[in-house]
Amino acid sequence: MTLGYVGGEVADYQMSAFLMAAYIRGLSFDETAALTAAMVDSGTKLDLSRIDGVKVDKHSTGGVGDKTTLVMVPMLAAIGFKAPKMSGRGLGFTGGTVDKLESIPGFSTSLSLDRFISQITEIGAAIAGQSSKMAPADKMIYALRDVTATVDSIPLISASIMSKKIACGSDFILLDVKVGNGAFMKDIEHARQLAHTMIAIGRNLERKVGAIITDMNQPLGRAVGNALEVREAIETLAGSGPADLTRLCVELTAALVNLADPAYELEEARSNAEAALKSGAALDKFAEIIRAQDGDEGVITNPCLLPVATIVHPVTSEAAGIVCEMDTAGIGRAASALGAGRERKEDAIDPAVGVVIQKKIGDTVAVGDTLAVIHGNDPDRVALAEKIVRDCYKFGSPAGSPQLILERM
Ligand code: URA
């Protein structure tokens, strides 16, 4: 049916009926695995056998302020692994990894397969836009899920994510499954089910897959918006990034290294990941990636070369107390309202705009304190984003910071 859909023999109404049935009744594991395999077979599979070394990949199920790929890919290459990364553009909150990288002047994410492979062979890493030839069934089915309200289904999400990961050819894949009010999965039980399903699909298709469930009840790091996130990723690679982002990148990198080469104990893998940041090797690797992909590596030492917004506006608090809850998706909507994300895939995004969070869960706030800083290019959009951001904060009794890493699988 999946191949028939790509070939035009299965009509939208038939696929919609299937998706609705899968959404309502669920799919057994065998059905989910068969759907994934059919989606992989609908297009080209990347053959990475020409590249020597251990090929590793990571995937995040998505969240607000998630710029881990920008930090982890250079870290993995600096440690000595091969990191071929194919990423997408974003729909919704902010751009995807490709949009973020394209905020670097000149940076190209459209790499031919030969160029992608030779760059990985030469410098250990490349980050390119996902080829439309890979898992085309997923692209078509996702568009249909979007308009038939069938996105929110664990078997369909698992098949969608894993078909792209399998088609990309890495042997070892680490999944960062986000849970919380800024993620697809709102509770730990559903996050566990999603992680288990994707790990089992990987095993079925002879890939080694691990997963870590991590918190998304507040934005990751502080920056939400494309160039702002690149800037924060550079700070993190330089050792001066936000503590939560730095810790998550170290833990995910260590887990992936341990998955790919169990000779590395987790503790040793963690030390290697930290050393890649501390020594500057990961930052140097990011500069190499930028240079190899025609970008202006001057952004590393001079982030002002990234697009900057004309309006920088603080959102001050009208209340006092301790931040006990944040509407994470709301912060994403504020960034999107400024132009950092797109509603429809043909929309243009503004790379300069976004929100930089100053106060997070557990922080004490006085009236007049800055909760967040808005970077915008349009006064009306800035006013709208200001209102959204202020409404995202809830004050109450001390809750402490949420635990960042919830479970390892
Ligand atoms: N990400 C994907 O790639 N697919 C989904 O279905 C959901 C999130």
Side-chain angles (χ1 to χ4, degrees):
M1 182 175 187
T2 309
L3 289 178
Y5 185 54
V6 175
E9 294 135 40
V10 173
D12 276 355
Y13 62 84
Q14 290 169 307
M15 183 52 88
S16 301
F18 166 75
L19 292 173
M20 195 55 81
Y23 178 82
I24 293 169
R25 301 283 307 262
L27 294 176
S28 70
F29 174 70
D30 287 349
E31 288 164 340
T32 309
L35 176 63
T36 312
M39 282 160 68
V40 174
D41 288 341
S42 71
T44 311
K45 281 163 262 180
L46 202 53
D47 177 9
L48 300 176
S49 59
R50 277 199 273 154
I51 305 171
D52 287 335
V54 183
K55 278 89 59 176
V56 295
D57 197 358
K58 55 85 63 176
H59 181 83
S60 159
T61 58
V64 179
D66 186 353
K67 67 282 288 174
T68 47
T69 294
L70 304 181
V71 183
M72 279 182 71
V73 166
M75 282 172 83
L76 288 160
I79 294 171
F81 288 84
K82 295 289 173 4
K85 183 80 183 117
M86 290 222 169
S87 292
R89 294 184 188 280
L91 259 189
F93 300 153
T94 55
T97 298
V98 161
D99 301 300
K100 291 171 200 184
L101 284 169
E102 284 180 354
S103 69
I104 299 172
F107 196 100
S108 168
T109 56
S110 314
L111 305 182
S112 69
L113 200 52
D114 277 346
R115 185 170 168 193
F116 184 71
I117 295 209
S118 57
Q119 183 177 320
I120 297 158
T121 307
E122 279 159 31
I123 67 169
I127 311 176
Q130 175 107 29
S131 155
S132 56
K133 295 195 185 110
M134 287 161 74
D138 172 61
K139 207 170 183 182
M140 292 174 67
I141 291 174
Y142 194 91
L144 206 53
R145 285 167 62 204
D146 202 24
V147 291
T148 52
T150 53
V151 169
D152 199 1
S153 146
I154 288 179
L156 296 180
I157 295 174
S158 304
S160 165
I161 292 176
M162 290 309 291
S163 64
K164 286 174 289 208
K165 291 287 107 183
I166 305 279
C168 282
S170 284
D171 303 316
F172 302 95
I173 302 162
L174 185 77
L175 304 165
D176 177 7
V177 178
K178 303 275 184 206
V179 59
N181 63 14
F184 268 114
M185 298 296 119
K186 307 291 178 219
D187 61 72
I188 188 90
E189 194 39 55
H190 285 101
R192 263 186 214 126
Q193 274 179 35
L194 179 63
H196 276 307
T197 309
M198 293 194 289
I199 290 171
I201 292 172
R203 193 177 305 129
N204 215 48
L205 295 171
E206 290 167 8
R207 304 298 159 94
K208 206 164 162 200
V209 181
I212 298 196
I213 301 181
T214 68
D215 179 70
M216 192 30 76
N217 280 305
Q218 58 183 341
L220 182 61
R222 300 194 177 279
V224 183
N226 300 287
L228 295 167
E229 292 191 39
V230 170
R231 194 178 183 132
E232 187 168 271
I234 292 169
E235 284 162 11
T236 305
L237 286 162
S240 55
D244 62 343
L245 176 63
T246 305
R247 168 147 188 257
L248 187 61
C249 291
V250 166
E251 290 298 329
L252 293 174
T253 301
L256 184 46
V257 166
N258 170 257
L259 179 82
D261 185 354
Y264 281 97
E265 296 284 335
L266 198 53
E267 198 45 55
E268 186 192 358
R270 200 177 278 128
S271 306
N272 284 6
E274 280 164 352
L277 292 180
K278 214 166 174 185
S279 65
L283 185 63
D284 289 347
K285 192 54 79 176
F286 193 42
E288 263 185 272
I289 296 170
I290 295 175
R291 200 181 322 136
Q293 296 190 219
D294 307 326
D296 182 352
E297 66 181 288
V299 296
I300 299 275
T301 44
N302 184 8
C304 295
L305 294 172
L306 290 163
V308 284
T310 49
I311 306 170
V312 177
H313 179 79
V315 180
T316 51
S317 183
E318 291 168 352
I322 296 175
V323 181
C324 66
E325 221 178 286
M326 286 184 79
D327 173 1
T328 315
I331 298 289
R333 277 196 301 280
S336 207
L338 289 160
R342 42 171 94 70
E343 304 266 304
R344 287 162 302 151
K345 64 180 188 320
E346 50 285 353
D347 292 347
I349 59 162
D350 183 340
V353 302
V355 180
V356 179
I357 303 295
Q358 301 284 337
K359 297 288 183 189
K360 293 180 72 166
I361 296 176
D363 287 344
T364 302
V365 174
V367 173
D369 277 359
T370 300
L371 296 171
V373 178
I374 289 176
H375 295 244
N377 280 323
D378 174 314
D380 292 340
R381 287 176 176 230
V382 169
L384 173 62
E386 175 174 19
K387 181 173 168 6
I388 300 174
V389 169
R390 196 172 278 116
D391 288 348
C392 288
Y393 280 85
K394 202 165 154 193
F395 300 94
S397 42
S401 289
Q403 217 181 314
L404 183 61
I405 294 172
L406 298 158
E407 272 178 39
R408 296 164 190 273
M409 303 166 98

